[in-house]
Amino acid sequence: MGRAQRSTKSKNGTPIPETNQCTYCHSGPKFTNQKQVNIGSGKATDRSPIVDVPQLPNVAYSAPYLHDGSARSLEEIWTVFNPKDTHGVSNDLTKDELNDLIEYLKTL
């Protein structure tokens, strides 16, 4: 499946809502829309589920990830902290596809 098609449809062909597509939040020269959103990774102890959209250049060097540092690796963002696909549709990615995404992010 092509990259452009993947960004708008899941593997089974279901349309991905615009607000759950990667480029909705991670756009522009620094891959951020500079807004605050709820990606579903909030915890009961957080004051709010709303978090800043981070910029992505050099993201490989900024671990740990998420608003509270709970994701120790880029992989954990989607394998541990995205069970309901609220931070992009990733649960249907193969291990190789997820690795490709992570390798791409490391180039930014």
Side-chain angles (χ1 to χ4, degrees):
M1 183 174 292
R3 183 176 166 190
Q5 187 178 9
R6 171 62 188 173
S7 64
T8 61
K9 292 183 180 181
S10 66
K11 281 190 178 179
N12 67 10
T14 305
I16 299 171
E18 181 183 20
T19 56
N20 202 19
Q21 295 174 21
C22 300
T23 56
Y24 182 79
C25 295
H26 296 288
S27 59
K30 296 198 182 224
F31 299 93
T32 179
N33 62 6
Q34 298 181 338
K35 296 184 179 180
Q36 295 181 325
V37 296
N38 179 355
I39 60 167
S41 64
K43 297 177 181 60
T45 55
D46 293 339
R47 278 192 237 166
S48 169
I50 307 300
V51 298
D52 293 328
V53 175
Q55 58 184 351
L56 296 182
N58 296 314
V59 69
Y61 306 106
S62 62
Y65 303 101
L66 298 178
H67 67 287
D68 61 355
S70 55
R72 295 172 294 169
S73 67
L74 289 168
E75 183 176 0
E76 281 190 1
I77 293 170
W78 298 286
T79 59
V80 176
F81 298 99
N82 192 34
K84 297 180 181 176
D85 279 339
T86 53
H87 186 189
V89 176
S90 61
N91 287 313
D92 66 349
L93 294 178
T94 66
K95 178 71 171 163
D96 285 342
E97 290 168 334
L98 182 58
N99 287 342
D100 287 347
L101 171 61
I102 291 166
E103 289 305 312
Y104 168 72
L105 291 172
K106 290 178 179 180
T107 69
L108 301 178

